[in-house]
């Protein structure tokens, strides 16, 4: 019964922005948690990679700067070859962390 309710809740349409943030969060968990702390419940990550909350707390962090950073190859980050939609979702997720206490 509980599983059916969870599955049914997934069928409820979310606003597009919420879906984008949710997708970005899933991408972050899948691709970024090896190095970055991406959510509050995560405890382990690389010492050399800033947490997503640290990144979003920087005054120069904007959608444009995140997009630019994620669009180019970096020696310190693997090249995931993100699509435009994946990059937009990841940027939306990171910026959404700014709104949470």
């Amino acid at each position: 019964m509980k599983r059916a309710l969870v599955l049914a809740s997934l069928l409820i349409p979310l606003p597009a922005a919420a879906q984008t943030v949710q997708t970005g969060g899933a991408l972050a968990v899948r691709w970024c948690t090896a190095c970055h702390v991406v959510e509050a419940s995560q405890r382990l990550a690389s010492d050399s990679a800033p947490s997503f909350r640290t990144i979003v707390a920087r005054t120069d962090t904007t959608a444009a700067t995140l997009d630019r950073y994620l669009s180019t190859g970096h020696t310190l980050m693997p090249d995931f070859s993100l699509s435009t939609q994946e990059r937009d979702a990841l940027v939306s997720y990171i910026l959404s962390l700014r709104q949470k206490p």
Side-chain angles (χ1 to χ4, degrees), residues 29-98:
V29 167
R30 186 170 68 196
W31 291 338
C32 307
T33 56
C35 299
H36 298 273
V37 172
V38 301
E39 47 188 15
S41 63
Q42 184 185 346
R43 297 291 173 232
L44 297 175
S46 168
D47 289 339
S48 59
S51 72
F52 278 18
R53 288 198 185 269
T54 298
I55 292 168
V56 80
R58 295 177 183 157
T59 57
D60 62 340
T61 298
T62 65
T65 61
L66 288 170
D67 183 69
R68 190 170 34 256
Y69 189 82
L70 293 170
S71 297
T72 59
H74 294 85
T75 57
L76 299 176
M77 278 182 34
D79 180 12
F80 292 114
S81 299
L82 299 170
S83 70
T84 301
Q85 292 81 12
E86 290 168 329
R87 208 170 47 250
D88 289 347
L90 194 51
V91 167
S92 293
Y93 172 71
I94 293 169
L95 291 177
S96 77
L97 298 174
R98 189 175 275 157

Side-chain angles (χ1 to χ4, degrees), residues 13-26:
L14 295 172
Q19 288 177 336
T20 301
V21 169
Q22 187 176 35
T23 300

